[in-house]
Amino acid sequence: MQSTATVLVYSDDANTREQVRLATGRRPAADVPQVEFIECATPAAVLKELDRGGIDVCVFDGEAVPMGGMGMCRQIKDEVFQSPPVLLLMGRPQDAWLATWSRAEAAVTLPVEPVEFAAALAALLRTRLAIEA
């Protein structure tokens, strides 16, 4: 197992980024590596970090401004070769169809519920690391 996994968190709201960090802790599950975060508050910063590479999973805030996480997800799925899986944070459970449209691999609702979020993130990390192995 690799020593760390890199998770990119996109939200214009510092409180949302903090919720993600706190819900994850050092690692979201015992069978996945410890997590290092890269935080982005703008779409340009997200694209810059993805161009650098090394991102294992993205967490996008569907309520972010000026570009929501759903639109950002759809864009990277179209434009970034072998884009990392995306966990989408949605404002309402009824928006699950939009998460499907955006091609996100998983979605949870805001505010972040730690157990649900950690389980979803751990599942994406397991899948990503299995593909890379």
Side-chain angles (χ1 to χ4, degrees):
M1 176 166 64
Q2 73 184 52
S3 60
T4 60
T6 303
V7 175
L8 183 147
V9 182
Y10 164 58
S11 178
D12 66 313
D13 185 343
N15 292 325
T16 300
R17 296 192 307 268
E18 181 180 30
Q19 285 181 43
V20 167
R21 286 192 321 273
L22 293 174
T24 304
R26 293 183 64 161
R27 65 176 57 184
D31 64 334
V32 298
Q34 288 189 9
V35 171
E36 293 180 357
F37 292 101
I38 295 175
E39 296 185 32
C40 297
T42 66
V46 171
L47 295 175
K48 180 180 177 182
E49 291 298 334
L50 288 172
D51 282 345
R52 280 189 191 173
I55 305 296
D56 294 301
V57 173
C58 294
V59 177
F60 289 166
D61 178 2
E63 308 299 313
V65 175
M67 181 180 212
M70 294 178 205
M72 187 84 247
C73 181
R74 180 97 177 178
Q75 180 177 343
I76 71 161
K77 296 298 179 178
D78 286 339
E79 297 177 5
V80 176
F81 180 68
Q82 296 181 337
S83 64
V86 174
L87 173 54
L88 192 60
L89 305 174
M90 305 178 302
R92 308 173 314 150
Q94 298 87 343
D95 291 336
W97 72 272
L98 287 169
T100 302
W101 167 85
S102 72
R103 297 185 283 198
E105 283 77 7
V108 297
T109 56
L110 286 168
V112 173
E113 195 288 310
V115 173
E116 177 188 24
F117 178 83
L121 180 59
L124 291 180
L125 285 168
R126 284 183 202 106
T127 302
R128 178 69 171 200
L129 299 174
I131 291 170
E132 291 177 355

